[in-house]
């Protein structure tokens, strides 16, 4: 399954299988405070719709690239809130081909009950809240501020690793001496060590850097960093 592809890494040799891309499964509508969106709908478009109708709930996701389906799989968000906080129902097809409407699905830090499962998310229902435009604007500016210290160029996938409980993955990578580490055209960001910058065109090189980080952090601190990025087919 591929949404916007913002959080996947696929080997240079390619992927031996069928890829379902949800880019054309777009569209959304409002029923009062409830926003119903097809799974390929871009997060940014849904945020714009909610702002236009003075509805609050999605502001913390501003600047996160991707589709709403990918966001639900990953429980995308920031310290101000994650998509799981406002999901009412998720509609999906399971591996037996059964269409299921699931109310109040389970979410955890950068994950959901759907992550790693063989499912096709088709539609998501979000419960938003009426709010004044000032309130919404304030929440948006806080969320935008968070992005100030994050590298924007070149291509990357946001945070590479999940933060271990009450620790910062970026700090551990930095303490392991890997901030700025460069392998071929791939660099651990000198600004924020949990970001990997791709100046080239090789997923295998990025994978090498991911492994190097995991090995070094494990050797030094006995901590296994878990990738936040979805490594498909490695
Ligand atoms: C610059 C940048 C900044 C980012 N900042 C943040 C951030 O602040 N917070 C955060 O949480 N994330 C962040 N991300 C990561 C990413 O944007 C989110 O994880 C986003 O939700 C991924 O959506 P996507 O559509 O691109 O999913 P994809 O990358 O396409 O897919 C992600 C996973 O979901 C699965 N999937 C996608 N759609 C479906 C579907 N319809 N049915 C079943 N499975 C599906 C895929 O198989 C894959 O396993 C950032 C990424 C970038 C590049």
């Amino acid at each position: 399954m591929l949404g916007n592809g913002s959080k996947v890494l696929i080997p240079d040799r390619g992927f031996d299988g069928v890829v379902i891309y949800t880019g054309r499964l777009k569209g959304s509508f409002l029923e009062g405070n409830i926003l119903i969106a097809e799974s390929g709908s871009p997060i940014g478009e849904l945020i714009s719709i909610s702002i236009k109708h003075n509805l609050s709930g999605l502001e913390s996701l501003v600047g996160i690239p991707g589709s709403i389906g990918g966001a639900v799989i990953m429980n995308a968000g920031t310290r101000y809130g994650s998509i799981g906080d406002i999901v009412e129902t998720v509609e999906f097809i399971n591996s037996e081909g059964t269409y299921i409407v699931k109310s109040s699905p389970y979410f955890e830090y950068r994950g959901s009950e759907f992550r790693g499962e063989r499912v096709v998310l088709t539609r998501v229902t979000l419960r938003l809240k009426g709010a004044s435009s000032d309130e919404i604007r304030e929440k948006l500016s806080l969320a935008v501020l968070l992005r100030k210290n994050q590298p924007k160029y070149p291509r990357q996938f946001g945070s590479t690793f999940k933060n271990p409980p009450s620790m910062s993955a970026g700090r551990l990578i930095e303490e392991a001496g890997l901030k700025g580490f460069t392998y071929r055209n791939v660099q651990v960001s000198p600004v924020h060590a949990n970001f990997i910058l791709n100046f080239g065109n090789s997923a295998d090189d990025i994978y090498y850097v991911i492994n190097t980080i995991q090995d070094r952090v494990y050797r030094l601190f006995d901590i296994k960093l878990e990738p936040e990025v979805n490594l498909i087919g490695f």
Side-chain angles (χ1 to χ4, degrees):
M1 288 304 302
L2 198 62
N4 188 53
S6 331
K7 204 70 182 183
V8 293
L9 194 65
I10 295 159
D12 293 344
R13 66 174 180 278
F15 174 73
D16 186 14
V18 175
V19 175
I20 302 176
Y21 168 58
T22 62
R24 292 174 75 177
L25 194 58
K26 278 192 203 168
S28 64
F29 59 95
L30 277 166
E31 272 178 5
N33 289 356
I34 303 288
L35 179 60
I36 298 150
E38 306 300 331
S39 66
S41 308
I43 300 169
E45 274 182 36
L46 300 178
I47 295 176
S48 301
I49 291 168
S50 61
I51 294 171
K52 205 169 128 199
H53 291 85
N54 279 354
L55 291 169
S56 171
L58 280 166
E59 299 91 327
S60 55
L61 278 87
V62 74
I64 300 180
S67 64
I68 190 68
V72 167
I73 295 283
M74 301 297 295
N75 193 16
T78 62
R79 73 167 83 124
Y80 296 121
S82 302
I83 192 71
D85 304 339
I86 56 165
V87 170
E88 282 267 297
T89 60
V90 172
E91 297 177 35
F92 65 98
I93 302 165
N94 70 11
S95 55
E96 275 97 52
T98 310
Y99 199 88
I100 296 172
V101 181
K102 181 85 196 263
S103 299
S104 314
Y106 170 75
F107 289 97
E108 60 185 14
Y109 167 57
R110 296 301 162 261
S112 63
E113 64 178 72
F114 309 107
R115 191 168 179 192
E117 299 298 317
R118 292 169 64 83
V119 292
V120 177
L121 266 51
T122 53
R123 196 182 254 197
V124 178
T125 302
L126 306 171
R127 178 175 290 278
L128 304 172
K129 261 197 327 213
S132 70
S133 43
D134 280 354
E135 224 177 299
I136 293 176
R137 210 170 309 126
E138 198 177 315
K139 286 186 181 165
L140 281 172
S141 5
L142 280 176
V144 168
L145 214 61
L146 267 190
R147 312 224 148 249
K148 275 215 150 165
N149 289 334
Q150 292 182 356
K152 290 179 184 57
Y153 305 101
R155 283 176 295 171
Q156 36 112 346
F157 34 63
S159 298
T160 307
F161 298 99
K162 290 187 186 179
N163 288 318
S166 44
M167 276 188 239
S168 149
R171 180 72 54 80
L172 286 168
I173 298 167
E174 194 176 337
E175 283 171 7
L178 288 169
K179 198 173 186 178
F181 170 77
T182 303
Y183 174 72
R184 295 190 174 146
N185 288 315
V186 180
Q187 186 186 37
V188 176
S189 166
V191 179
H192 190 314
N194 200 17
F195 283 63
I196 291 179
L197 310 178
N198 175 21
F199 293 96
N201 215 3
S202 166
D204 291 354
D205 290 352
I206 298 170
Y207 186 62
Y208 176 86
V209 172
I210 289 175
N211 277 322
T212 304
I213 294 173
Q214 279 178 315
D215 286 351
R216 178 92 62 99
V217 168
Y218 185 63
R219 234 178 330 112
L220 291 174
F221 310 119
D222 206 20
I223 294 169
K224 277 198 168 145
L225 285 179
E226 192 188 332
E228 189 174 314
V229 58
N230 299 282
L231 305 168
I232 297 176
F234 282 95

